[in-house]
């Protein structure tokens, strides 16, 4: 799974001016490598921290389609290329499958671990 921090152009310029090497502002490529997690040294960690804390940076993760991820609402979600989505609520055990147009295709009251494979196949087939 790859991740990166998204910052607008003004934020990148500000990060360049903030961090200096031998009294000179660092280059744009150095900032972009740090934000893309291609480098991992002290300077890169400081750049990432400042980007998120002071310049409105947001961390994104690249995951394969159909792979579950957990959001802040305590739901496990999977999104497919055909537009179908699966939401599994960890607290209530409810599961919902949404079709490509956003309509509810199926609901499950207490999703068991053994059912998830079947639910995934159904969502992929929509």
């Amino acid at each position: 799974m790859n991740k990166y921090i998204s910052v607008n152009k003004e934020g990148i310029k500000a990060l360049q001016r903030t961090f200096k090497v031998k009294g000179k502002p660092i280059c744009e490529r150095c900032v972009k490598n740090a934000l893309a997690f291609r480098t991992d040294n002290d300077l890169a960690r400081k750049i990432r921290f400042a980007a998120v804390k002071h310049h409105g940076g947001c961390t994104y993760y690249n995951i394969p389609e159909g792979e579950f991820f957990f959001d802040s609402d305590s739901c496990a979600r999977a999104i497919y290329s055909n537009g179908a989505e699966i939401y599994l609520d960890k607290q209530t055990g409810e599961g919902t499958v949404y079709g490509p147009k956003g309509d509810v295709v199926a609901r499950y009251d207490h999703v068991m671990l053994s059912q998830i494979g079947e639910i995934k196949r159904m969502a992929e087939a929509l």
Side-chain angles (χ1 to χ4, degrees):
M1 172 174 23
N2 295 328
K3 63 182 178 176
Y4 64 95
I5 297 173
S6 177
V7 178
N8 61 18
K9 289 181 182 182
E10 292 82 25
I12 291 175
K13 294 289 183 196
L15 287 166
Q16 284 180 259
R17 288 189 302 271
T18 302
F19 295 98
K20 299 180 189 292
V21 175
K22 296 182 182 177
K24 291 183 168 183
I26 59 176
C27 66
E28 183 178 353
R29 179 57 40 208
C30 183
V31 173
K32 288 186 175 184
N33 283 339
L35 296 177
F37 290 85
R38 286 190 286 265
T39 56
D40 190 32
N41 52 33
D42 261 356
L43 179 60
R45 285 189 288 275
K46 289 176 184 177
I47 291 170
R48 289 192 289 267
F49 179 81
V52 171
K53 202 72 166 170
H54 303 293
H55 298 289
C58 187
T59 304
Y60 292 94
Y61 293 88
N62 294 327
I63 61 172
E65 289 178 354
E67 193 157 311
F68 280 95
F69 63 93
F70 295 94
D71 64 9
S72 60
D73 298 330
S74 71
C75 285
R77 296 180 175 203
I79 301 171
Y80 295 91
S81 61
N82 62 2
E85 298 183 19
I86 300 173
Y87 293 156
L88 303 175
D89 193 321
K90 294 188 313 185
Q91 294 177 339
T92 63
E94 295 176 354
T96 309
V97 179
Y98 294 96
K101 295 182 181 176
D103 52 328
V104 176
V105 176
R107 287 191 191 273
Y108 300 90
D109 287 333
H110 298 285
V111 177
M112 303 297 286
L113 193 59
S114 59
Q115 292 176 300
I116 293 177
E118 175 189 330
I119 295 170
K120 287 176 71 174
R121 283 189 292 278
M122 184 195 45
E124 289 172 346
L126 291 176

